[in-house]
Amino acid sequence: MSSRILPLVCILSASWCSLAPALQLAPERATPTTRRTAFESVFGTASAVFLPLDRSAFAEDAVVPPANDAATAYKYEDRDRRGNKDALIREDYWYYSGRRPPRRLNVDAFPSNDPTWNTWGECTKSESTGNSCVYVSLKQRIPAYGKYAFSIQLGKDEFAKLGRILRSPDPNWDEASRLIDPGLETRMPAPTVDALLKMALFATQMLTSPNYSGVARDLLVARYYVNECAFATRELARAIDERDAAAASGLWEFGRDSWNSYLSIVNLSIGPKVGDMFEMM
C-alpha cells in the first residue's frame, strides 16, 4: 500500500473505530444497501481489530418501552426502515452502518471523536480547542446557534406541551392535532414539525469541522435521532386523528427520548460563548 493511501485508511478507520464499541447494537433485519455493505467491508473489520467490544458507553442498550405498551414500543425501534426512503435525512448512522443507536443516549459515556490523522497530517491537541481535526470554530457555531436555536427550542416546548395534553384524563384532541400540524401550501407547519429540518441543519453546522475529511460521526448519530423524531411526529399525527390514546402516548414518549438524545449530542458543542444549552424534556 502506498504511503499516501495508508494514512487515509488509518484516518477513516480511526474515526469509525472510536464509535464502534458504543454502537454494537442489534443490526436491522432488512437487507443492507449496497453502499452500506461496501462501507462495512472497509471499516467493520478495522473496528473489530483495533477496539474490543464495550457496551458500557450507553446507559440503556436495549429498547426502553413506555409504561403502557412494551410490544408497541419495541415496534418503533425495530420497524422496517425501507433503506431510509421515508426518513427526513437518508444518510444517518443506521444508513451507513446498519446499526441502531439506543433509544436513550447516555452522552456522559459517549466516546469522544479523537482522530490521530487527517489528510493534511497529524492532529494536534490543546486545552482550549481540543483535537484540531474535529474542532469547530466559534465563528461557525455562534451564527448557527443564532439562526436555529430559537426554532428548535420552540419546537421542543410545543412537543412537551403535546405530552401534557396526551397525559390528561380527557385529552384535547383538536389542540393536540394543531401542535403537530404538518401544514399545507397555504399555512406554515406547527413549530414541532418546522423544527425537524432545522435540527438537522443545526447539527451539520455545529458538528462538522472543515479540518477533518473523515466521516462526521457525531453528525450521523444526530441525524439518526432527528429521523426518529420525524417518525414519531408523523405517526403521532395518525394516532391523534384516530383518537388512539395508548398509541399516541407511546409515540410521544418515543419522540421525547429521541429529542433528548439529539439535544444531548448538540449540547456538547454549545459552550458559554455560543449560547445556553438545551434542557432535556
Side-chain angles (χ1 to χ4, degrees), residues 40-138:
E40 289 184 329
S41 69
V42 176
F43 299 105
T45 303
S47 298
V49 171
F50 291 108
L51 288 175
L53 178 64
D54 177 11
R55 301 172 70 91
S56 63
F58 292 121
E60 297 176 77
D61 200 33
V63 174
V64 182
N68 61 334
D69 191 346
T72 300
Y74 183 76
K75 182 176 65 177
Y76 305 148
E77 293 284 298
D78 196 41
R79 66 186 185 275
D80 180 4
R81 297 171 188 267
R82 301 176 64 246
N84 264 4
K85 291 180 180 178
D86 299 324
L88 186 65
I89 311 99
R90 189 175 188 182
E91 291 79 13
D92 65 3
Y93 187 81
W94 174 84
Y95 180 74
Y96 279 108
S97 71
R99 297 183 181 277
R100 292 180 278 111
R103 174 165 166 167
R104 295 176 180 173
L105 179 68
N106 177 14
V107 75
D108 291 334
F110 193 57
S112 61
N113 197 4
D114 193 29
T116 304
W117 298 87
N118 64 13
T119 52
W120 297 284
E122 187 173 1
C123 304
T124 61
K125 298 180 182 180
S126 70
E127 293 184 3
S128 59
T129 62
N131 190 312
S132 63
C133 292
V134 294
Y135 175 70
V136 182
S137 69
L138 289 173

Side-chain angles (χ1 to χ4, degrees), residues 155-157 159-161 252 255-256 259-260 263 279-281:
K156 181 181 81 75
D157 291 344
F159 194 79
K161 181 179 179 181
W252 182 87
R256 174 203 58 196
W259 267 91
N260 286 342
L263 294 175
E279 295 183 359
M280 299 298 104
M281 198 178 303

Side-chain angles (χ1 to χ4, degrees), residues 199-218:
M199 290 163 67
L201 296 172
F202 180 63
T204 298
Q205 291 295 309
M206 300 295 285
L207 304 174
T208 305
S209 173
N211 301 328
Y212 186 57
S213 59
V215 178
R217 183 209 66 184
D218 294 8

